[in-house]
Amino acid sequence: MAFPRKVGEKVTLTYKTDLEIKVGDLVQVPLRNQKTYGIVFKTTGKKPTYNVREIQEICEPCMLEKWQIDLISWISEYYICPLFKVVKLFIPDKIFRNKKLRERKSE
């Protein structure tokens, strides 16, 4: 899971879910004491050996395509740029504050 803002020293965070999650989905997750949005960058069937929090809901399926996720990762590595800054190039912050998105998820 990647976020459009810095969340500490980690590049991505791991979450668990029983939902049908795909790479590129915009999801709502708990982060510290808040709810926030993140983009699914990778999925796996393996359970981690450490405790993880659960994805709360899918807000926008297929927000980014697989090729966009790959491009974001490549840009971040090639230009030695934090992943969250590159994510913001593809999904601006105003989308995360968008009233329609918050209204749609509350329906």
Coordinates of all heavy atoms in Angstrom, one line a residue, residues 14 16 25-26 28 38 40 43 55 59-60 62 65 67-68 73-74 84 91 98 100 103 105:
T14 N 1.9 -2.7 4.9 CA 1.2 -4.0 4.6 C -0.1 -4.0 5.4 O -0.1 -3.7 6.6 CB 2.1 -5.2 5.0 OG1 3.3 -5.2 4.3 CG2 1.4 -6.5 4.7
K16 N -4.1 -6.3 5.7 CA -4.7 -7.6 5.3 C -6.2 -7.3 5.0 O -6.7 -6.2 5.3 CB -4.7 -8.6 6.5 CG -5.5 -8.1 7.7 CD -5.4 -9.1 8.8 CE -6.2 -8.6 10.1 NZ -6.2 -9.6 11.1
D25 N -6.2 -0.3 -6.9 CA -7.4 0.1 -6.2 C -7.1 1.2 -5.2 O -6.1 1.2 -4.5 CB -8.1 -1.1 -5.4 CG -8.8 -2.1 -6.3 OD1 -8.9 -1.8 -7.5 OD2 -9.2 -3.1 -5.8
L26 N -8.0 2.1 -5.0 CA -7.9 3.2 -4.0 C -8.7 2.6 -2.8 O -9.9 2.3 -3.0 CB -8.5 4.5 -4.5 CG -8.6 5.6 -3.4 CD1 -7.1 6.1 -3.1 CD2 -9.4 6.8 -4.0
Q28 N -9.5 2.6 1.7 CA -9.4 3.4 2.9 C -8.9 2.4 4.0 O -9.3 1.3 4.1 CB -10.8 3.9 3.3 CG -10.8 4.7 4.6 CD -12.1 5.3 5.0 OE1 -13.1 4.5 4.9 NE2 -12.2 6.5 5.4
G38 N -5.2 5.0 0.4 CA -3.9 4.5 -0.1 C -4.2 3.7 -1.4 O -5.3 3.4 -1.7
V40 N -3.3 0.4 -3.7 CA -2.7 -1.0 -3.6 C -1.6 -1.1 -4.6 O -1.9 -1.0 -5.8 CB -3.8 -2.0 -3.7 CG1 -3.2 -3.4 -3.7 CG2 -4.9 -1.9 -2.7
T43 N -0.3 -7.3 -4.2 CA -1.1 -8.2 -3.4 C -0.3 -9.6 -3.4 O 0.5 -9.9 -4.2 CB -2.5 -8.5 -4.1 OG1 -2.3 -9.0 -5.4 CG2 -3.3 -7.2 -4.1
I55 N -7.7 -3.5 5.8 CA -8.3 -2.6 4.8 C -9.7 -2.4 5.1 O -10.4 -3.4 5.3 CB -8.0 -3.0 3.4 CG1 -6.6 -3.0 3.0 CG2 -8.8 -2.2 2.4 CD1 -6.2 -3.6 1.7
C59 N -12.6 2.2 -2.1 CA -13.2 3.5 -2.4 C -13.4 3.7 -3.9 O -14.4 4.2 -4.3 CB -12.5 4.6 -1.8 SG -12.3 4.6 0.0
E60 N -12.4 3.3 -4.6 CA -12.4 3.4 -6.1 C -11.7 2.3 -6.7 O -10.4 2.3 -6.7 CB -11.8 4.8 -6.5 CG -12.0 5.2 -7.9 CD -13.5 5.5 -8.2 OE1 -14.1 6.2 -7.4 OE2 -13.9 5.1 -9.3
C62 N -9.7 0.1 -9.4 CA -8.9 0.4 -10.5 C -8.6 1.9 -10.7 O -8.8 2.4 -11.8 CB -9.5 -0.2 -11.8 SG -9.6 -2.0 -11.7
E65 N -4.0 1.9 -13.4 CA -3.8 0.6 -14.1 C -2.4 0.0 -13.7 O -1.6 0.7 -13.1 CB -3.8 0.8 -15.6 CG -5.1 1.4 -16.1 CD -6.2 0.3 -16.1 OE1 -5.9 -0.9 -16.2 OE2 -7.4 0.7 -15.9
W67 N 0.1 -0.8 -15.4 CA 1.3 -0.1 -16.1 C 1.6 1.2 -15.4 O 2.8 1.6 -15.3 CB 1.0 0.1 -17.6 CG -0.1 1.1 -17.9 CD1 -1.4 0.8 -18.1 CD2 0.1 2.5 -18.1 NE1 -2.1 2.0 -18.4 CE2 -1.2 3.0 -18.4 CE3 1.2 3.4 -18.0 CZ2 -1.4 4.4 -18.6 CZ3 1.0 4.7 -18.2 CH2 -0.3 5.2 -18.5
Q68 N 0.6 1.9 -14.8 CA 0.8 3.1 -14.1 C 1.6 2.8 -12.8 O 2.5 3.6 -12.4 CB -0.5 3.9 -13.8 CG -1.1 4.4 -15.1 CD -2.5 4.9 -14.8 OE1 -3.3 4.2 -14.3 NE2 -2.7 6.2 -15.3
S73 N 6.7 3.1 -9.8 CA 7.8 2.4 -9.1 C 9.1 2.7 -9.8 O 10.1 3.0 -9.2 CB 7.6 0.9 -9.1 OG 6.4 0.6 -8.3
W74 N 9.1 2.7 -11.2 CA 10.3 2.9 -12.0 C 10.8 4.4 -11.8 O 12.0 4.6 -11.5 CB 10.0 2.7 -13.4 CG 11.2 2.9 -14.3 CD1 12.3 2.0 -14.5 CD2 11.6 4.1 -14.9 NE1 13.2 2.6 -15.3 CE2 12.8 3.9 -15.6 CE3 11.0 5.4 -15.1 CZ2 13.5 4.9 -16.3 CZ3 11.6 6.4 -15.8 CH2 12.8 6.1 -16.4
F84 N 5.9 8.4 -2.3 CA 4.7 9.2 -2.1 C 4.6 10.4 -3.0 O 3.6 10.9 -3.4 CB 4.5 9.6 -0.6 CG 5.4 10.6 -0.1 CD1 5.0 12.0 -0.1 CD2 6.7 10.3 0.4 CE1 5.8 13.0 0.4 CE2 7.5 11.3 0.9 CZ 7.1 12.7 0.8
I91 N -2.0 10.9 -8.8 CA -3.3 11.2 -8.1 C -3.1 12.4 -7.2 O -2.5 12.3 -6.1 CB -3.7 10.0 -7.2 CG1 -3.8 8.7 -8.1 CG2 -5.0 10.2 -6.5 CD1 -4.1 7.5 -7.4
N98 N -11.7 15.1 -2.0 CA -12.9 15.3 -2.9 C -14.1 15.0 -2.1 O -14.3 13.9 -1.6 CB -12.7 14.5 -4.1 CG -13.8 14.8 -5.2 OD1 -14.8 15.3 -4.8 ND2 -13.5 14.5 -6.4
K100 N -17.1 14.4 -3.3 CA -17.9 13.4 -4.0 C -17.4 12.0 -3.5 O -18.2 11.1 -3.3 CB -17.8 13.5 -5.5 CG -18.5 14.7 -6.1 CD -18.3 14.7 -7.6 CE -18.9 16.0 -8.1 NZ -18.6 16.1 -9.6
E103 N -18.7 11.3 -0.1 CA -20.1 11.1 -0.1 C -20.4 9.7 -0.7 O -21.2 9.0 -0.2 CB -20.8 12.1 -1.0 CG -20.9 13.5 -0.3 CD -21.5 14.6 -1.2 OE1 -21.8 14.3 -2.3 OE2 -21.6 15.7 -0.7
K105 N -18.6 7.0 -0.7 CA -18.2 5.9 0.2 C -19.1 5.8 1.4 O -19.3 4.7 2.0 CB -16.8 6.0 0.6 CG -16.5 7.0 1.6 CD -15.1 6.9 2.1 CE -14.8 7.8 3.2 NZ -15.2 7.4 4.5

